[in-house]
Amino acid sequence: MQARAYAAPPTLDDALALLAEHGADARVLAGGTDLIIQVRENRRDVGVMVDVKAIRELTEFTFLADGSLRIGAATPCARIYGDSQVARRFPAIIDSASLIGGVQIQSRASLGGNLCNSSPAADSIPTLIALGAIAEIRSKRQEREVLVEAFCTGPGQNVLAADELLVALRIPAPAAHSGAAFQRFIPRNEMDISVTNAAANVTLSADGQTFTAARIAIGAVAPTPLLVPAAGAALVGQPVGEAAIEAAAAASRAAARPITDMRGSADQRRHLAGVLTARVLRTAIERARAS
Amino acid sequence: MTAPEKPAYRVIGTRPVRPDGIDKVTGRAVYGADVRLPGMLRGIVLRSPHAHANIRGIDASRALALPGVKAVITGADLVPPGKTLADVPDLASNLMATTKVYYRGQAVAAVAATSEEIARQAARLIEVDYEVLPAVLDVREAMLPAAPILHAGLRTRGGDPNTQTNIIAHHVMAVGDAEAAMAGADIVTVEGEFKTSMVHQGYIEPHASTATWNPDGQITIWTSTQGSFPARQNTSAVLGHPISKIKVIPTEIGGGFGGKIAIYLEPVAALLARKSGKPVKVQMDRADVFEATGPTPGTSIRAKLGATKDGRIVAAIADMAYETGGYPIATPANYATMVAFSCYDIENLKMDGWDVVVNKPRTQDYRAPSSPAAAFAIEQLVDELSEKLGIDPLALRLKNSAREGTRGPMGMPYRRIGHEECVQAALDSDHYRSPLEGANKGRGVASGFWFNVGLRSSVSVTVQPDGTVSLIEGSTDIGGTRASLAMQLAETIGVAYEDVKPTVVDTDSVGYNDVTAGSRVTFGTGMAVVEAGKNLIKEMSGRLAGAWSVPPEEITFNAGTFSAGDKSMTFKQAAEATVGRGPGLTVSGSVNAGFLQGGGFAHHIVDVEVDPETGKVQVLRYTTVQDAGTAVHPAYVEGQMQGGAAQGIGWALNEEYYYDDNGRMANSTYLDYRIPTTLDVPMIDTIIVEVPNPLHPYGVRGVGEPGIVPPLAAIANAVYRATGVRQHQLPMSPRRILETTDAMKA
């Protein structure tokens, strides 16, 4: 294992100071479910591991006055999906958080870590994009906010500067008559990385018959998870039904720019982008009508 | 066809707790990687990054200069004293390359250092000068005249002595005139071409060996192996070191399935120990296991069946090409000709088998080697034939089934076998009688055969003063054989199972045993156990004769009791009376149980559901039927049946060596090499059929292997019923199902 030093700063300021001091030689450690493997397999050389799990602000989640949900970047998935209020108001988050790894992994892995690892196939990022989540970023120099859909810049790459830390994810309060859902496709029934995944967040008219807003995101079909504005546009103003769903699925297929590898072929992934878009839309509609 | 009546047994057929169970479930059992010795160094093997390359030179000077590095070896160190590089057999060069590498992952050098980290760092400092050569990865491509040649000196056995080739051997097997029979009027034919991918056995424990080499030349090796005696023999051959100076101590083994028959690390650890003067442990990581051990061949099979309209199969033709990996040693296609049509009684047969080298790891046996791929082809054609003829697929198999007297593998007529009984049990099963309803679902069936082997075994039995007995074995225990052998001894000498204490010992401590493979231990070592038991009774009778002052031949032994006239003693009483007060008593039993043990047959039924949008196949229900001869420990028989089916499900649906454009295996992890998880396999129902094997005193047949033969074809047949599309290539992954159905054409 090639990690030369380890630090567990007790406060956010301490963590930011360490990042400012060590820059690119430092690496933030949350659950470690990606980072430790990368280090062990010599895929990453880390000078200082900055463990942020001792920082309270990073390991808590709270509902804000406006109904939005603020999740500390290192909060374990298991704690999030174990919360009944989150389950009721943000079921799509549960869809994602409950299928990343098994229970042991979920007790360590975090949504913030999943985002910062910036895998094109990450299982929480499409959900965060569909929900319009915002990344709260801090460094000693500045504070800033970035929409999750603009966070990843390539496989394993993102907008964070070497001295910056993802502090929290803020998910806006769900609109009335809205619903969201996430699904992935894997060849087995567990223990796989998504061949393709998708999330949808739809708002319906009060009578539940017309789409009034929609955000569709797809993953593992491009260098980063993608927001598909054309899929949303294909729905808004349309009657809820299979014709609109198929139009959105076609938009997802068109937006996909997949590769062929051991996990799936480009054609398969493009096809699945459409299949999964339709499937998550059907669940999101059901949830919107039940809300 | 009714199964012969089974004798009443006292211990055989019960389900006692296994002797190794507590150690295994509490984590105390010592596996290969658990061995730790004082002063022990760690060894790391440097492996080729290329699939095919000449080695122009190796410079280890930078590695040797690293503090903590104690020894470096290369292929040159594997040349026994007095021999030259040219004499090095392929066995040795597969352990460590000398002038050429034939597959990615092949060992090139090894380092011993004071820690694993230093050894790894040192391995990266070894400079190997490669001249990269074009590689060939597909078996049919490798057979073409223009293919890159792996071994300049290779000639097809019995072929043109002047033509370079990748074809090791062409096996021809013909009975009657298949071509003519196929062309007959009123003959219905089906044919197809089928491909399977290279797959790995997927055992959970990576290979690990630890060795010491004393100044007096005594080598001791702790290793996870399917055969400690063959490991000793092969290490001796490679090192040119006498077997009397090598002791192999087998550790517990975390699965093998054929993949732990060959040696990989044993001589490497020994040579590093000699050079460093310290004990050395070498273990593989998962990528090493995938890339550098012995997976099972990828295959290409073209086959054709011809039958009369009333369903009598009269002719069969098969052309079967099997990869052997980088070395011309294995002969999987020869096995294929022994097993491909062995479930059936077919008058006219023609089989061509081709063993072909390709730039992949040297292949090894995997559970019923060569049979699953052949069954993937043949059992799908039988299914197609049943559809074409309008005959139930099980009825068609019953009509054509092999039985006692039918010509079996290698031309010998079968003794009593149980294929018909298995098919009949499948026909009568609740599963087959329950209708399968709903869209996108299908049911498939298939038969399977494995010939099972006998080979050589030795055991010794020592009577303890308290009347218990120690059973000393040399067959490493993979599938619960300590229990199944102790049960046969308890049955033979009339004591309780709990009074037999079985132990697997090292190569200095018991007579010769062949590998734990070919489903042979409960059969072959079982025969040695029964013989030892009989010898023990004879010896005890002799001692009692002295004590009772009667002639030995007047003493009878029945149901665990010695008697003569009005005198009688149980085995335990007799042991206390003789060994408790007199000299110790040890007997042995040694057998050569022959090559073949009479066939093992299985039949499987599977229901699947195929998601038409994603191509994913879900196994809904699975039933395995198998002839166990006599099920010594039925729970372990069921475990073998279920294990074979589970591995077959993985092979059928997702497992494959996936190569990228550069000839690199891209999925050498359990994340991307997808063996089934618990959520992918339903509870597998088992139906044990018992048609006693006339070759074994208790009627035992090997049960480890037939269970992996039917699943590939049974699932393919089920997928066909669910989708209407025949599957000609494995794995039937979601991608392949999408590509072969209309799903993506919309």
Side-chain angles (χ1 to χ4, degrees), chain A residues 50-75:
Chain A
V50 181
D51 186 344
V52 295
K53 286 193 289 296
I55 304 167
R56 195 158 180 177
E57 191 184 350
L58 265 72
T59 56
E60 288 181 337
F61 61 91
T62 46
F63 287 94
L64 305 181
D66 65 355
S68 60
L69 171 63
R70 185 171 185 274
I71 301 174
T75 312

Side-chain angles (χ1 to χ4, degrees), chain A residues 1-2 40-42 184-195 253 260-272 275-276 278-279 282, chain B residues 117 120 124 611-618 654 656 658 666-667 669-681 734-735 738-739 743-745:
Chain A
M1 185 140 150
Q2 298 297 313
R40 190 190 291 149
E41 293 178 353
N42 289 308
R184 67 173 174 181
F185 179 76
I186 56 175
R188 291 183 290 199
N189 290 308
E190 60 175 337
M191 300 294 288
D192 272 330
I193 288 180
S194 288
V195 177
R253 282 195 295 271
T260 293
D261 67 8
M262 69 282 189
R263 292 176 188 145
S265 72
D267 286 346
Q268 177 191 11
R269 288 183 157 120
R270 199 173 295 113
H271 168 78
L272 287 171
V275 170
L276 292 176
R279 289 184 178 185
R282 290 185 200 112
Chain B
E117 287 71 23
R120 278 189 194 286
R124 285 195 290 271
D611 183 328
E613 287 187 328
T614 66
K616 185 164 166 173
V617 177
Q618 186 71 36
N654 281 306
E656 64 177 321
Y658 185 95
N667 61 334
T669 67
Y670 275 148
L671 177 62
D672 288 313
Y673 182 92
R674 300 187 185 91
I675 62 175
T677 72
T678 51
L679 296 184
D680 303 309
V681 179
R735 173 179 171 180
L738 287 180
E739 287 170 351
M744 292 198 292
K745 289 178 191 145

Side-chain angles (χ1 to χ4, degrees), chain A residues 34 92-93 95-97 99-100 110-135 147-158 166 169 171 181-183 194 197-200 215-220 223-227:
Chain A
D34 288 307
I93 301 253
D95 292 343
S96 285
L99 56 67
I100 298 173
S110 60
L111 297 184
N114 198 226
L115 179 59
C116 291
N117 190 54
S118 302
S119 160
D123 282 326
S124 72
I125 303 180
T127 299
L128 294 170
I129 292 174
L131 293 175
I134 297 147
L147 284 170
V148 169
E149 67 219 54
F151 188 88
C152 299
T153 54
Q157 296 173 329
N158 56 50
L166 175 70
L169 294 160
I171 299 154
F182 169 84
Q183 273 193 36
S194 288
N197 57 28
R215 287 171 68 86
I216 309 292
I218 52 179
T224 66
L226 294 179
L227 175 70

